[in-house]
């Protein structure tokens, strides 16, 4: 049993209550128990009431299921409750322990009914909406009596759905329960309302939409049937008998036009535009992203409902997908997200955002952090904080990196100058940087981007150049946080700890994956605060709260929301495990490639002595003269379960970054031509790596023998 009482409560006597529930909506009924300091045993119909169970644990209430009625009865008898309350869904069996007649010296038993009874209705909220009622009732019945002892009514709005009405019912049920607890028995001040109402006179609930119904009737049926995650309303095509889901009136109208009038299919009938996307690779002809969802309102066939759950790039057939990267979120994600939802605060500046910023600052060896919505947003905030605002502000960037690195400089107002990389760690080349600084007097700083989880070999030398010339250095650690850089004096520092500002990404494929997000970090709290200001729409400073909508500059709304930060906290807790797995996978690649004679000319990325890489992605440099594109396309064609990615397209080749200050970047162009990025997901096993290397061996052999993928 749980809480002994609530500090400062006006209800000093601790009551013992058994609460029997049928679904997660009854979570509202826990609050009156907690407010009044009750001891409680909460019994769910089955193990699907996950949210309810989690909230019970948070409040200190005992939780069990009704799957073993005998065990439930023993627990209740030993608990000796004063009240037993059941909140069943209509049509579900009342728990056996509630059906036993109440005795004079036993607990008082109540059943809370919601909505209206109607034969064939999938849930009690169906009838009030389907019949066009303006209100629905929540009824309290005392076991042993045939009449309601109290009733509460809730309004049924003109756009009410079954799900939204369920939320209203749950809140009203919680209020009835609070009345019972407040008065030690029957509620006071709430009217009784006679026998339990039914909607039997209205006939049975129809199983699906009838084609000759007027639109108003269809609309009510659709709303009454909308109770996710359950299936929505269904309509049948009269000729073929095929059935379709209808969740909105837009889908109903599209069904009538495209299926009934034009005779077309609801899926795949309209033209779509596609574009390449470097972040998702389906391996079936390359990566595609649908650009024109012109058929967004088309209903899907009921036989294809599983299609809605298919993620991009899912493996074909029974073989599992060997992915480039996957998040390792951790066991606390659901708990943290549930806590954030329960708090009602899902905006920015919440407690999980603050905690996530602490995690990232610790990982990168920094004293301050500002969480934002993406790595690109973090780069923008960093550039603005560092004073980049004019095309005369030249910023040196790696040519071999994600274009977002240069994009952010342009968004801030500056000019990116792509610089070549070295061929070991694929980081910025110190000789190329030195040449650029000698010829470009407008350079204000350098963005250095450790590639694929490997610290930049020349970081220490480039840092020294920046200090000598009074330039700032921003470390784009989006792929490499968690790694460690060895210093010339033998000490070590986390990647990100030594730069003027550091940025990270927590996109789903990164070392910490939350879906989308990033952060600006540094040891100068003033600079980080400036980046935060730019990413918070640059509000007017020192003007007082009443002038909150006044701004000093044109900033951006880039702050990270609480829910993503909650996921981030859970994922950050798993970073040590992620790093350990990544390093093991890299060792497996070394061993598997070395064991294949035909791959002896294939080279993996190298780290400098003293560095500790996280090997975010394992990149294979193919022999000279072999095209990475040809080998990669062959892999995609012959091994669709293996996710493949090219190296970065050199920024110096892109037209959008051309300028008269541009220097040749032969190493970056070589890497793009010869590099193939191999799956590096933390979920991979040793046998997966062997399969990948075997596939690489086959593809390399086919290409060098003269074959090519279409």
């Amino acid at each position: 049993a749980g809480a002994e009482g609530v500090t400062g409560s006006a209800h000093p006597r601790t009551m013992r209550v058994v609460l029997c529930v049928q679904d997660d909506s009854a979570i509202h009924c826990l609050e009156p128990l907690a407010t009044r300091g009750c001891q409680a045993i909460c019994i769910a119909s089955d193990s699907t009431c996950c949210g309810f169970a989690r909230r019970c644990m948070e409040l200190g209430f005992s939780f069990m299921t009704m799957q073993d009625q005998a065990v439930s009865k023993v627990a209740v008898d030993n608990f000796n409750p004063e009240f037993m309350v059941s909140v069943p869904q209509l049509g579900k069996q009342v728990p056996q322990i509630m059906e036993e007649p109440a005795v004079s010296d036993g607990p008082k038993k109540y059943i809370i009914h919601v909505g209206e009874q109607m034969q064939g209705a999938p849930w009690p909220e169906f009838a009030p909406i389907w019949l066009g009622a303006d209100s629905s009732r929540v009824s309290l019945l005392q076991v042993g009596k045939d009449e309601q002892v109290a009733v509460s009514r809730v309004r049924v709005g003109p756009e009410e759905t079954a799900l939204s009405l369920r939320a209203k019912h749950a809140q009203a049920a919680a209020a009835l329960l609070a009345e019972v607890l407040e008065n030690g028995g029957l509620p006071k001040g709430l009217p009784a309302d006679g026998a339990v109402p039914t909607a039997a006179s209205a006939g049975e609930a129809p199983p699906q939409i009838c084609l000759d119904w007027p639109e108003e009737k269809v609309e009510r049926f659709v709303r009454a049937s909308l109770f996710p995650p359950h299936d929505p309303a269904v309509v049948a095509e009269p000729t073929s008998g095929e059935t379709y889901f209808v969740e909105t009136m837009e889908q109903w109208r599209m069904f009538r036009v495209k299926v009934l009038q034009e005779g077309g299919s609801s899926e795949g009938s309209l033209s779509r535009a596609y574009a390449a996307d470097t972040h998702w690779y389906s391996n079936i002809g390359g990566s595609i992203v649908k650009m024109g969802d012109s058929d967004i309102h088309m209903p899907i066939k009921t036989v294809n409902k599983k299609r809605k759950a298919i993620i991009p790039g899912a493996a074909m057939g029974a073989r599992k997908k060997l992915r480039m990267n996957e998040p390792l979120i951790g066991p606390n994600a659901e708990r943290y997200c549930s806590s954030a939802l329960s708090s009602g605060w899902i905006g920015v500046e919440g407690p999980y955002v603050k905690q996530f910023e602490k995690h990232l600052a610790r990982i990168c060896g920094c004293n301050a952090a500002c969480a934002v919505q993406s790595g690109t947003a973090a780069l923008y905030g960093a550039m603005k904080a560092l004073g980049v605002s004019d095309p005369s502000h030249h910023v040196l960037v790696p040519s071999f990196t994600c274009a977002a690195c240069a994009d952010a400089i342009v968004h801030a107002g500056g000019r990116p100058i792509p610089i070549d990389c070295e061929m070991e760690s694929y980081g910025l080349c110190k000789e190329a940087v030195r040449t650029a600084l000698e010829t470009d007097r407008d350079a204000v700083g350098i963005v250095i981007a450790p590639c694929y989880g490997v610290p930049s070999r020349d970081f220490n030398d480039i840092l020294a150049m920046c200090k000598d010339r009074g330039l700032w250095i921003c470390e784009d650690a989006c792929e490499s946080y968690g790694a460690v850089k060895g210093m010339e004096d033998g000490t070590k520092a986390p990647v990100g700890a030594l730069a003027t500002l550091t940025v990270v990404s927590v996109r789903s494929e990164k070392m910490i994956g939350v879906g989308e997000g990033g952060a600006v970090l540094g040891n100068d709290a003033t600079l980080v605060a400036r980046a935060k200001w730019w990413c918070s729409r640059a509000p007017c400073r020192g003007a007082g709260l009443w002038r909150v909508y006044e701004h000093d500059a044109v900033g951006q709304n880039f702050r990270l929301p609480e829910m993503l930060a909650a996921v981030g906290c859970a994922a950050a807790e798993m970073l040590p495990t992620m790093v350990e797995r990544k390093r093991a996978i890299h060792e497996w690649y070394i061993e598997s490639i070395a064991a294949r004679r035909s791959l002896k000319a294939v080279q993996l990325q190298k780290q400098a002595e003293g560095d500790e890489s996280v090997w975010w992605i394992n990149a294979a440099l193919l022999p000279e003269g072999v095209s990475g594109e040809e080998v990669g396309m062959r892999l995609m064609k012959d091994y669709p379960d293996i996710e493949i990615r090219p190296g970065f397209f050199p920024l110096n080749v892109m037209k959008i970054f051309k300028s008269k200050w541009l220097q040749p970047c032969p190493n970056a162009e070589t890497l793009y031509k010869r590099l193939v990025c191999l799956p590096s997901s933390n979920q991979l096993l040793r046998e997966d790596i062997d399969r990948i290397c075997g596939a690489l061996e086959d593809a390399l052999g086919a290409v060098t023998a003269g074959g090519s993928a279409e």
Side-chain angles (χ1 to χ4, degrees):
E4 291 296 331
V6 178
T7 303
S9 173
H11 309 275
R13 188 174 67 84
T14 300
M15 290 181 282
R16 296 182 305 280
V17 180
V18 171
L19 182 64
C20 301
V21 306
Q22 296 285 358
D23 69 1
D24 276 341
S25 67
I27 197 170
H28 292 279
C29 293
L30 294 174
E31 302 310 317
L33 302 180
T35 300
R36 286 155 180 79
C38 297
Q39 293 181 344
I41 292 181
C42 302
I43 308 177
S45 59
D46 52 46
S47 58
T48 61
C49 301
C50 300
F52 181 83
R54 188 181 302 111
R55 187 59 178 155
C56 287
M57 298 299 104
E58 292 172 353
L59 294 174
F61 297 148
S62 296
F63 174 81
M64 61 190 307
T65 69
M66 300 178 196
Q67 291 173 323
D68 191 328
Q69 297 275 3
V71 172
S72 300
K73 186 177 186 308
V74 171
V76 171
D77 289 344
N78 290 336
F79 185 54
N80 191 25
E82 298 171 66
F83 299 100
M84 296 179 65
V85 182
S86 178
V87 190
Q89 288 186 17
L90 207 60
K92 284 199 174 183
Q93 185 178 3
V94 175
Q96 182 179 339
I97 57 176
M98 294 295 298
E99 290 181 328
E100 298 176 357
V103 295
S104 58
D105 59 346
K108 296 178 181 178
K109 297 183 178 181
Y110 299 96
I111 297 175
I112 297 178
H113 279 292
V114 300
E116 311 289 345
Q117 298 182 37
M118 186 177 193
Q119 188 174 357
W123 30 76
E125 288 76 15
F126 181 90
I129 298 174
W130 168 237
L131 298 177
D134 58 5
S135 67
S136 179
R137 69 179 70 203
V138 177
S139 311
L140 181 69
L141 289 81
Q142 188 169 6
V143 174
K145 296 185 178 182
D146 295 329
E147 295 184 347
Q148 300 172 119
V149 295
V151 65
S152 175
R153 288 191 173 274
V154 298
R155 179 176 178 270
V156 178
E159 297 183 358
E160 201 82 67
T161 67
L163 183 66
S164 63
L165 185 55
R166 171 59 61 91
K168 290 181 178 180
H169 282 158
Q171 292 174 345
L176 279 178
L177 177 58
E179 283 285 326
V180 170
L181 299 176
E182 182 75 24
N183 297 292
L186 293 179
K188 296 179 180 178
L190 289 175
D193 206 10
V196 179
T198 69
S201 59
E204 294 187 19
Q208 63 183 36
I209 296 172
C210 183
L211 295 179
D212 60 4
W213 283 351
E215 188 165 282
E216 182 273 336
K217 195 171 184 178
V218 173
E219 191 262 348
R220 282 190 281 112
F221 185 84
V222 169
R223 289 191 289 111
S225 303
L226 194 59
F227 201 156
H230 301 285
D231 289 341
V234 171
V235 65
E237 197 279 319
T239 303
S240 66
E242 289 184 313
T243 53
Y244 296 78
F245 288 127
V246 177
E247 298 178 80
T248 65
M249 290 305 292
E250 287 79 10
Q251 287 184 339
W252 164 248
R253 295 177 188 119
M254 189 71 78
F255 170 81
R256 292 185 65 87
V257 172
K258 292 295 180 182
V259 179
L260 298 184
Q261 296 179 18
E262 299 180 6
S265 169
S266 71
E267 298 164 63
S269 61
L270 301 180
S271 61
R272 298 176 176 90
Y274 291 90
D277 174 26
T278 58
H279 293 291
W280 278 113
Y281 272 73
S282 66
N283 295 335
I284 305 173
S287 173
I288 52 176
V289 173
K290 187 164 65 173
M291 302 295 288
D293 272 326
S294 55
D295 60 348
I296 192 171
H297 293 305
M298 289 299 290
I300 67 169
K301 296 178 182 178
T302 57
V303 295
N304 293 335
K305 72 175 183 178
K306 290 184 178 179
R307 183 177 298 177
K308 294 193 296 184
I310 296 177
I311 61 175
M316 299 181 66
R319 185 176 292 278
K320 77 172 184 178
K321 190 79 167 182
L322 305 183
R323 292 197 174 277
M324 189 64 57
N325 270 308
E326 294 174 87
L328 185 61
I329 295 175
N332 284 326
E334 289 190 16
R335 178 187 302 175
Y336 294 163
C337 289
S338 175
S339 175
L341 286 171
S342 298
S343 73
W345 186 272
I346 57 174
V348 302
E349 291 287 335
Y352 283 108
V353 171
K354 297 300 183 185
Q355 183 63 30
F356 189 40
E357 290 172 341
K358 291 179 183 178
H359 279 301
L360 294 176
R362 173 185 54 79
I363 291 165
C364 294
C366 297
N367 295 328
C370 170
V372 293
Q373 294 175 6
S374 68
T376 307
L379 282 161
Y380 164 84
M383 292 300 101
K384 297 299 288 186
L386 291 166
V388 176
S389 61
D390 189 85
S392 65
H393 298 159
H394 293 185
V395 180
L396 308 189
V397 298
S399 180
F400 192 74
T401 192
C402 177
C405 194
D407 291 342
I409 298 168
V410 176
H411 290 317
R415 183 187 300 278
I417 308 297
I419 302 298
D420 205 9
C421 61
E422 35 83 12
M423 293 292 288
E424 293 181 5
S425 73
Y426 308 161
L428 267 182
C429 174
K430 60 184 178 182
E431 288 82 9
V433 170
R434 184 177 291 108
T435 299
L437 292 178
E438 290 173 352
T439 58
D440 188 349
R441 300 300 180 183
D442 291 326
V444 296
I446 297 175
V447 175
I448 190 166
C451 189
Y452 299 150
V454 179
S456 295
R457 183 197 69 182
D458 295 343
F459 176 86
N460 295 334
D461 293 322
I462 294 172
L463 179 63
M465 290 184 210
C466 288
K467 289 181 178 179
D468 290 343
R469 291 169 170 79
L471 305 178
W472 51 258
I473 184 168
C474 177
E475 188 157 22
D476 177 355
C478 290
E479 301 173 2
S480 304
Y481 55 91
V484 175
K485 179 64 185 174
M487 309 307 294
E488 292 180 352
D489 60 2
T491 60
K492 296 179 182 291
V495 166
L498 302 177
T500 313
L501 283 178
T502 294
V503 300
V504 300
S505 168
V506 290
R507 187 184 176 96
S508 56
E509 61 179 1
K510 294 300 194 292
M511 294 297 292
I512 295 174
V514 309
E516 193 65 86
V520 184
L521 307 106
N523 289 309
D524 185 336
T526 301
L527 268 182
V528 175
R530 191 179 301 166
K532 180 177 181 179
W533 180 77
W534 279 106
C535 292
S536 304
R537 295 182 294 115
C540 188
R541 290 167 286 194
L545 290 176
W546 198 248
R547 292 169 65 180
V548 66
Y549 295 115
E550 184 178 353
H551 301 272
D552 285 339
V554 179
Q556 297 286 352
N557 185 18
F558 282 157
R559 301 300 306 286
L560 188 74
E562 184 79 345
M563 290 298 292
L564 289 178
V567 177
C569 287
E573 293 166 354
M574 298 301 294
L575 183 63
T577 302
M578 173 70 93
V579 172
E580 181 181 7
R581 291 185 183 179
K582 289 285 191 177
R583 288 172 176 164
I585 289 168
H586 180 68
E587 291 300 319
W588 294 339
Y589 268 118
I590 292 175
E591 295 168 4
S592 191
I593 289 175
R596 290 171 166 78
R597 182 175 300 177
S598 59
L599 296 183
K600 64 180 181 179
V602 173
Q603 301 176 38
L604 295 176
Q605 199 174 0
K606 299 180 178 64
Q607 65 179 4
E609 184 178 354
D611 290 353
E612 299 173 14
S613 303
V614 294
W615 307 108
W616 175 63
I617 280 180
N618 289 272
L621 184 64
L622 303 180
E624 188 173 353
V626 178
S627 166
E629 181 176 2
E630 289 188 22
V631 172
M633 294 303 294
R634 169 66 68 173
L635 280 167
M636 290 183 181
K637 180 176 181 293
D638 295 345
Y639 298 89
D641 61 304
I642 299 177
E643 198 165 84
I644 298 298
R645 182 181 294 185
F648 292 117
F649 192 87
L651 301 188
N652 64 290
V653 180
M654 297 186 192
K655 294 181 180 179
I656 54 176
F657 300 126
K658 293 284 188 180
S659 72
K660 66 179 182 180
W661 296 275
L662 192 65
Q663 296 185 12
C665 300
N667 290 343
E669 294 178 32
T670 295
L671 288 177
Y672 172 70
K673 292 176 182 177
R674 292 170 49 191
L675 208 63
V676 173
C677 294
L678 303 174
S680 302
S681 165
N682 65 85
Q683 300 297 314
L684 297 179
L685 305 175
R686 175 59 194 260
E687 53 263 35
D688 297 327
I689 304 304
D690 288 338
R691 172 172 169 76
I692 294 165
C693 291
L696 177 62
E697 187 177 34
D698 292 346
L700 182 60
V703 170
T704 54
S708 64
E710 295 180 359

